[in-house]
Amino acid sequence: MKTDSNIPVKNYYDSTVKPKSKNEVPGKYPFTRAIHPGMYRDRLWTMRQYTGFGTAAQTNQRFKYLLERGQTGLSMAFDLPTQIGYDADDSHAEGEVGKVGVSITSLKDMMTCFDGIPLDKVSTSMTINATASTLLSLYIATGESQGVKSEQLRGTTQNDILKEYIARNTYIYPPRPSMRLIGDMIEYCSKKVPQWYPVSISGYHMREAGCNAVQEVAFTLANAIEYIETCVDRGLKIDDFAPRLSFFFCCTSEFLEEVAKFRAARRIYARIVKDRFHAKDKKSMQLKFHVQTSGESLTAQQPDNNIVRVAIQSMAAVLGGCQSLHTNSKDEALALPTEAAVKIALRTQQIVGHESGITKTVDPLAGSYYVESLTDKIEEEANRYLKRIDRMGGSLAGIEKGFFQSEIRQNAYRLKKEIDSNERVIVGVNKFTDSAEEKQEIMRIDDSIQVKQMQNLKELRSTRDNKKTEAALSKMMSAAEKEENLMPLILESVRSYATLGEISNTFREVFGMYQPKESF
């Protein structure tokens, strides 16, 4: 037998296993066992359900619904046009407005999203990449409208463009100007938004695209090295920005391998930051991460089974020591989740946190012969990948060569073959199937949302000071053609009610658009 990562599994494990973490203490380097000495005994993870759909007003209602039911942080999903820099009235946005997330085109939309939600009292995560600098600027300006200074804002922008070229594909500009924008954000936040995590380096989407646990760790940390080098090359000191780097991982149902994966990732990252980049601050060496349960593991068949899958995955994330967690809803293989399904997903976290007992001690699976063996093996295999990526010149070179894409495709093909041959059992899909499926209530997004957003844009452009907007966009373009930090100029543009599409189009003129190779 083998794990999902093709690691051979013995019939049993005994004291011949000599774990590297034998004498390690939670909260101490290399943090295999935890980044904090008390972990959930001191405070539970942030329960951060990923949500956003339709209009800003609809998303505002869902945010308040979740906060009223005990959610402890917000996580914002954006529609596809917002993710790739098009306004709702652009022809590229046709049929997609508000469908897979909320439509945000201007400061007015962002202010509506957080109406009645004080930004000095809540932390917000934004799953946004190519347009992350614009969305953060909109959030800062929204805080200003509430009288909240940027120094008081807490949250995260995903802002991981490298994994977009590898797996997710919501990029706009070529890699190098995209990396410049990310460097600008990290530098700006280190000085002006000190409680913000300007990048969340994401293995999640690569895992969902088909890679295994070892590859997820290796590819994510390879991307982290690229971002750190970008910042160091522009003169930033490692301990000035590394404490505000964060990570985002997937959690699948291979329960014990997932727990081991998180433990190994912490250890590898701590050693990279200390030994390779010579960090002195222990906060720089701590891998702080959000987890989302696996969307790819959810099935449209027998969707109630997904509640069980999510419960297993959320327990693995907690036993692995996550700092925040999103639990998927049972109906997400069919559509955006209903309010009732979202509540079950949130309650799953609350039951794990308050009823399971697994939060009463730190790293409770430490010392398990099997878990320790897996932790060491994942570290060994991930380091082998990291050395290979280093030899090819790092993540950017690996992307240009198609290395990551090829590795993920090969593993995805292996998984698909195992399912098709029934070697890998998916309950309700290739075994224990039902002859007839029960009808499910699903959420549908009305096409009228695009019409409404188009009307809002027309009104905005007719009422704003267009000369002021054009002047701000012109200054931003001039700065983009030089080496100036773009964040203050983007912020000035959103304050003048420039739209997301206008800002993105300005950068398209300067940076161009990324055209992927046909095949690798």
Side-chain angles (χ1 to χ4, degrees):
M1 290 189 175
K2 295 182 178 181
T3 69
D4 278 359
S5 296
N6 255 345
I7 295 171
V9 179
K10 298 178 183 178
N11 184 42
Y12 70 96
Y13 291 75
D14 57 24
S15 59
T16 57
V17 173
K18 305 295 182 186
K20 293 179 183 177
S21 63
K22 182 178 179 182
N23 297 313
E24 290 179 12
V25 177
K28 299 283 188 181
Y29 176 88
F31 309 106
T32 308
R33 301 198 58 195
I35 62 169
H36 302 302
M39 282 303 288
Y40 309 129
R41 288 165 64 96
D42 299 333
R43 184 172 72 88
L44 291 183
W45 62 92
T46 302
M47 298 181 189
R48 196 185 293 282
Q49 292 302 103
Y50 180 50
T51 192
F53 60 91
T55 65
Q58 289 173 308
T59 296
N60 175 262
Q61 290 175 4
R62 180 64 66 86
F63 281 167
K64 289 175 178 175
Y65 173 86
L66 287 165
L67 290 169
E68 287 164 3
R69 280 152 186 81
Q71 178 165 296
T72 52
L74 297 176
S75 182
M76 200 170 181
F78 299 94
D79 70 0
L80 192 56
T82 303
Q83 292 180 49
I84 55 177
Y86 292 113
D87 289 333
D89 57 358
D90 193 293
S91 61
H92 293 90
E94 184 67 35
E96 290 292 341
V97 177
K99 290 294 175 73
V100 298
V102 62
S103 172
I104 299 291
T105 57
S106 73
L107 180 55
K108 284 191 174 182
D109 286 331
M110 191 65 99
M111 289 168 65
T112 300
C113 249
F114 292 96
D115 182 46
I117 301 173
L119 298 191
D120 57 342
K121 305 294 183 188
V122 68
S123 70
T124 302
S125 173
M126 293 190 277
T127 302
I128 197 71
N129 296 282
T131 55
S133 51
T134 302
L135 269 299
L136 176 58
S137 297
L138 289 167
Y139 194 79
I140 293 169
T142 299
E144 291 170 348
S145 75
Q146 296 183 1
V148 178
K149 296 178 180 178
S150 63
E151 290 84 358
Q152 297 172 272
L153 298 175
R154 294 179 297 114
T156 307
T157 31
Q158 190 167 105
N159 199 25
D160 177 3
I161 203 66
L162 292 176
K163 65 93 175 57
E164 296 296 325
Y165 301 116
I166 294 170
R168 194 163 173 266
N169 300 327
T170 60
Y171 43 70
I172 303 175
Y173 322 112
R176 297 189 190 278
S178 294
M179 291 294 285
R180 172 196 171 177
L181 284 167
I182 291 170
D184 285 353
M185 265 186 73
I186 293 171
E187 183 176 24
Y188 183 84
C189 287
S190 70
K191 297 170 184 175
K192 300 291 186 180
V193 203
Q195 296 190 78
W196 196 264
Y197 290 95
V199 60
S200 177
I201 305 150
S202 303
Y204 183 88
H205 308 91
M206 295 184 283
R207 187 66 181 275
E208 292 284 273
C211 75
N212 61 40
V214 168
Q215 292 169 331
E216 182 186 6
V217 171
F219 297 170
T220 305
L221 297 186
N223 288 347
I225 290 167
E226 196 78 51
Y227 291 125
I228 292 171
E229 287 179 341
T230 295
C231 294
V232 170
D233 287 349
R234 61 166 55 201
L236 296 179
K237 295 179 180 178
I238 183 71
D239 287 325
D240 288 344
F241 68 88
R244 304 308 291 180
L245 298 179
S246 64
F247 292 80
F248 174 23
F249 291 109
C250 182
C251 195
T252 73
S253 297
E254 177 92 2
F255 187 80
L256 296 173
E257 183 176 60
E258 291 298 287
V259 175
K261 175 187 79 178
F262 298 126
R263 300 173 86 248
R266 269 195 298 273
R267 181 194 292 164
I268 300 167
Y269 182 69
R271 289 176 175 160
I272 288 170
V273 176
K274 182 181 181 182
D275 298 340
R276 181 167 179 160
F277 293 103
H278 313 295
K280 304 297 182 190
D281 186 344
K282 79 170 191 176
K283 291 182 180 178
S284 297
M285 306 171 205
Q286 294 173 340
L287 185 141
K288 297 171 278 286
F289 64 96
H290 172 74
V291 169
Q292 181 172 338
T293 57
S294 171
E296 187 274 335
S297 73
L298 303 180
T299 63
Q301 301 91 334
Q302 302 178 23
D304 285 351
N305 295 345
N306 295 330
I307 298 173
V308 183
R309 293 185 177 101
V310 168
I312 291 169
Q313 293 165 11
S314 60
M315 288 186 75
V318 170
L319 288 166
C322 67
Q323 277 59 65
S324 67
L325 176 61
H326 163 82
T327 35
N328 288 329
S329 299
K330 67 172 187 173
D331 51 0
E332 288 189 57
L334 299 164
L336 290 179
T338 62
E339 201 169 78
V342 165
K343 187 168 82 168
I344 293 170
L346 176 60
R347 293 288 183 254
T348 300
Q349 291 200 50
Q350 291 164 338
I351 290 167
V352 170
H354 296 284
E355 297 185 27
S356 71
I358 63 174
T359 60
K360 291 178 179 177
T361 188
V362 184
D363 193 22
L365 292 183
S368 155
Y369 299 135
Y370 182 43
V371 169
E372 294 291 358
S373 175
L374 282 175
T375 301
D376 293 348
K377 188 64 176 175
I378 290 169
E379 178 188 22
E380 178 188 327
E381 295 295 328
N383 276 328
R384 187 173 287 119
Y385 261 118
L386 286 168
K387 288 176 183 175
R388 190 174 169 189
I389 294 163
D390 269 346
R391 284 196 298 270
M392 67 179 67
S395 279
L396 272 176
I399 290 167
E400 289 164 354
K401 289 179 169 75
F403 169 73
F404 299 101
Q405 300 91 318
S406 175
E407 291 289 303
I408 291 171
R409 271 202 305 269
Q410 288 177 43
N411 196 67
Y413 179 63
R414 174 182 68 85
L415 295 174
K416 181 67 168 61
K417 281 196 345 182
E418 289 176 3
I419 293 169
D420 289 346
S421 67
N422 294 335
E423 181 184 347
R424 178 181 294 268
V425 173
I426 308 296
V427 173
V429 176
N430 61 2
K431 197 168 186 179
F432 312 114
T433 58
D434 290 337
S435 56
E437 294 288 338
E438 290 183 20
K439 189 175 181 181
Q440 298 287 324
E441 177 189 347
I442 64 172
M443 183 173 171
R444 300 188 187 280
I445 305 298
D446 199 292
D447 288 336
S448 64
I449 285 171
Q450 179 161 8
V451 176
K452 188 179 296 183
Q453 281 293 79
M454 290 170 72
Q455 290 170 344
N456 290 343
L457 279 165
K458 186 176 180 181
E459 181 183 348
L460 175 76
R461 292 189 179 110
S462 66
T463 56
R464 71 186 180 185
D465 184 339
N466 282 300
K467 286 185 178 178
K468 185 178 178 181
T469 305
E470 288 164 11
L473 290 170
S474 178
K475 282 174 66 178
M476 193 181 73
M477 177 179 276
S478 297
E481 291 167 343
K482 303 168 188 172
E483 293 300 318
E484 191 175 342
N485 190 305
L486 291 168
M487 278 300 297
L489 288 305
I490 299 169
L491 187 54
E492 184 180 338
S493 294
V494 303
R495 286 177 182 140
S496 73
Y497 289 92
T499 68
L500 173 99
E502 290 166 344
I503 292 169
S504 299
N505 285 337
T506 300
F507 288 143
R508 282 186 181 96
E509 285 189 46
V510 179
F511 301 145
M513 293 177 65
Y514 178 63
Q515 299 295 331
K517 295 178 182 178
E518 289 294 323
S519 61
F520 296 95

